[in-house]
């Protein structure tokens, strides 16, 4: 990802909305809210729905509390939707379920979407756990349509 000046980013959201994009997924691979929050504002200004995203990984630092705290900041900044983006498919099902529950308990009106890849094979169990804990939308793909790119089918 390349750094983009604020005025260009603001204009991009206006243009994309005019082109017919209503929902925009906003993320930073490092979950740095200083990179995400300005885009939430720009999307809202353009009349779009900003879906703020938590990039999921697994480590002793990346706990339910860590991600829930980031979600709180993004929701406070105006995001009506949160995406749990498990780009490598290494999020643990139990943790993802507890995270979904923690966000839903504190912010019941916020829509939660799960997007996971199934490289190591955890994705189907993660889908089950986030569904059991209140996720609203699950990304899925048909393997022939996704060119077998580790997307759960």
């Amino acid at each position: 990802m390349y750094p983009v000046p604020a005025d260009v980013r603001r204009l991009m959201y206006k243009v994309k909305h005019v082109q017919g994009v209503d929902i925009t997924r906003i993320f930073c691979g490092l979950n740095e809210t200083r990179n995400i929050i300005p885009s939430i504002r720009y999307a809202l200004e353009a009349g779009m729905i900003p879906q703020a995203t938590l990039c999921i990984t697994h480590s002793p630092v990346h706990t339910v509390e860590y991600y829930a705290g980031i979600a709180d900041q993004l929701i406070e900044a105006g995001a009506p939707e949160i995406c749990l983006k498990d780009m490598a498919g290494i999020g643990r099902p139990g943790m993802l379920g507890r995270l979904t529950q923690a966000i839903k308990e504190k912010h019941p009106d916020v829509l939660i979407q799960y997007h996971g890849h199934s490289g190591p094979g955890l994705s189907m169990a993660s889908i089950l756990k986030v569904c059991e804990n209140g996720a609203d939308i699950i990304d899925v793909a048909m393997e022939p349509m996704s060119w077998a790119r580790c997307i759960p089918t």
Side-chain angles (χ1 to χ4, degrees):
M1 309 216 10
Y2 300 99
V4 178
D7 60 334
V8 173
R9 216 179 341 165
R10 179 177 271 127
L11 179 61
M12 180 201 70
Y13 286 102
K14 291 177 182 177
V15 169
K16 295 311 288 181
H17 185 60
V18 168
Q19 292 174 336
V21 177
D22 293 321
I23 302 171
T24 181
R25 184 172 288 168
I26 303 165
F27 68 94
C28 169
L30 299 174
N31 294 310
E32 177 54 64
T33 58
R34 293 175 296 180
N35 293 333
I36 303 169
I37 289 173
S39 289
I40 292 171
R41 285 196 308 267
Y42 304 151
L44 289 169
E45 289 171 8
M48 299 175 82
I49 297 169
Q51 185 182 77
T53 302
L54 304 175
C55 293
I56 304 297
T57 192
H58 176 72
S59 83
V61 174
H62 295 90
T63 63
V64 169
E65 295 76 21
Y66 166 84
Y67 286 115
I70 294 170
D72 288 343
Q73 292 176 57
L74 301 176
I75 293 164
E76 184 179 317
E81 300 184 8
I82 295 291
C83 177
L84 307 179
K85 185 174 179 66
D86 190 2
M87 301 179 288
I90 60 173
R92 301 311 196 256
M95 187 281 285
L96 290 165
R98 290 188 306 276
L99 175 58
T100 302
Q101 182 181 32
I103 296 169
K104 278 295 191 181
E105 283 178 354
K106 192 166 183 183
H107 308 281
D109 296 331
V110 169
L111 187 142
I112 297 179
Q113 182 164 350
Y114 173 76
H115 172 93
H117 293 251
S118 57
L122 299 173
S123 188
M124 294 310 294
S126 295
I127 288 171
L128 178 62
K129 286 299 182 185
V130 298
C131 286
E132 288 176 348
N133 287 283
D136 301 285
I137 299 173
I138 306 299
D139 284 354
V140 295
M142 291 176 51
E143 193 167 310
M145 302 294 281
S146 65
W147 297 14
R149 300 285 187 212
C150 298
I151 305 295
T153 54

